[in-house]
Amino acid sequence: FNCINLETISFPNLTSLGTNVFASCSVLQHLSLPLLTTLTINTATGCSNLFKIRVPSVSTVQNEVFKNCYRLKIINLPLCTSIGTQAFQKCHALTSINLPLCTTVGEYGFGDNNILYTINLPVVTTIGNYVFQNCFRLREVNFPLTTTIGIGCFQNCFKLKTVILNSITTLSSNLFSSCHSLTKVECLSATNVLDSAFVNCYSLRTFSNNSITTLGNNIFQNCFRLVKVLLPNTTSVGNYVFDACYYL
């Protein structure tokens, strides 16, 4: 903890690690723990120069493990099944995530990573609140098995264009709020859309769905370019759903 001169860490046989062990080691650049299966709370949080990690056996990443690791560019954890709250938040250099076996991501897991553009989470089923908030360059999302997704998950993802969430039943509040480039949303199993889900989606032109029955408040507010909405089975519509949709 706070070892200000430590640059490289390698424990080839380490299998257990306490909390906060390498936190705030500000010049740490390389971390190699090949046999470790659990990265514990705050393992390397605040390691602002860390850019290379080798943890191929890790199955669990707990809360805030790599938060504020500003130089970390690529996450490749082939065996990881769980990502904790804020685990990779504010990793400002992060561009790519590969988590082929991950099923759960906690709140703010990848939030504020503003150049992140590639995500591979093919089996994720549960995504917490604000997980990708402020990921400005994220362009495409396809989570075919996701059944639960939290509030504001993609809020302020300004470049996000295409979203496929075909196992989800509820689109949460502010889910796509201020996704200014969003043009395609596919959510074939959705039945409920909660408040402000698409507010300020300026590029959205059409929206159709045969399964949605309930729309909350302010759903499409300020969707200036929206020209066509087809929701044949919707039975309940909230307040200000199409407010400032000038072309409807």
Side-chain angles (χ1 to χ4, degrees):
F1 176 79
N2 203 26
C3 298
I4 59 174
N5 295 312
L6 186 64
E7 295 184 3
T8 300
I9 293 169
S10 178
F11 289 116
N13 297 310
L14 186 72
T15 58
S16 179
L17 190 68
T19 62
N20 297 277
V21 175
F22 309 118
S24 301
C25 294
S26 57
V27 298
L28 181 65
Q29 298 180 25
H30 303 274
L31 179 63
S32 179
L33 305 167
L35 298 185
L36 194 68
T37 57
T38 299
L39 286 167
T40 51
I41 294 171
N42 296 324
T43 292
T45 188
C47 294
S48 54
N49 280 293
L50 182 65
F51 68 88
K52 185 176 183 180
I53 60 173
R54 182 172 176 263
V55 285
S57 302
V58 161
S59 61
T60 301
V61 178
Q62 294 183 356
N63 299 346
E64 301 187 36
V65 169
F66 294 107
K67 184 179 180 181
N68 297 330
C69 292
Y70 301 135
R71 294 185 63 196
L72 196 59
K73 292 184 176 182
I74 296 173
I75 302 300
N76 182 28
L77 302 175
L79 301 181
C80 184
T81 60
S82 177
I83 299 292
T85 298
Q86 298 178 299
F88 295 95
Q89 189 180 22
K90 296 184 179 179
C91 295
H92 294 318
L94 190 63
T95 60
S96 178
I97 297 167
N98 182 40
L99 297 165
L101 299 182
C102 185
T103 59
T104 304
V105 182
E107 291 187 356
Y108 296 97
F110 300 102
D112 304 310
N113 293 325
N114 48 29
I115 65 171
L116 176 65
Y117 63 85
T118 301
I119 300 172
N120 183 36
L121 285 164
V123 299
V124 66
T125 58
T126 303
I127 300 175
N129 298 332
Y130 307 107
V131 166
F132 297 104
Q133 185 187 47
N134 299 327
C135 292
F136 301 142
R137 297 191 184 182
L138 189 62
R139 293 180 180 272
E140 183 175 348
V141 170
N142 184 359
F143 298 150
L145 302 182
T146 299
T147 56
T148 303
I149 196 162
I151 295 168
C153 186
F154 301 104
Q155 192 170 39
N156 300 330
C157 291
F158 299 140
K159 298 292 185 181
L160 186 62
K161 291 185 175 183
T162 302
V163 174
I164 300 174
L165 297 168
N166 281 331
S167 296
I168 206 85
T169 57
T170 298
L171 300 181
S172 59
S173 299
N174 293 102
L175 183 58
F176 302 108
S177 176
S178 296
C179 291
H180 296 163
S181 302
L182 189 64
T183 58
K184 180 183 177 181
V185 180
E186 188 175 297
C187 46
L188 301 180
S189 300
T191 57
N192 300 301
V193 184
L194 302 185
D195 294 354
S196 304
F198 295 98
V199 69
N200 300 328
C201 290
Y202 301 146
S203 299
L204 190 64
R205 293 180 58 83
T206 64
F207 186 83
S208 62
N209 186 287
N210 292 327
S211 59
I212 289 173
T213 60
T214 304
L215 296 177
N217 300 321
N218 307 94
I219 300 296
F220 297 104
Q221 189 176 38
N222 297 331
C223 293
F224 303 138
R225 292 182 174 85
L226 193 63
V227 296
K228 185 178 182 180
V229 176
L230 295 175
L231 299 168
N233 293 307
T234 297
T235 58
S236 177
V237 176
N239 300 320
Y240 301 104
V241 168
F242 299 105
D243 185 41
C245 295
Y246 300 128
Y247 291 100
L248 276 180

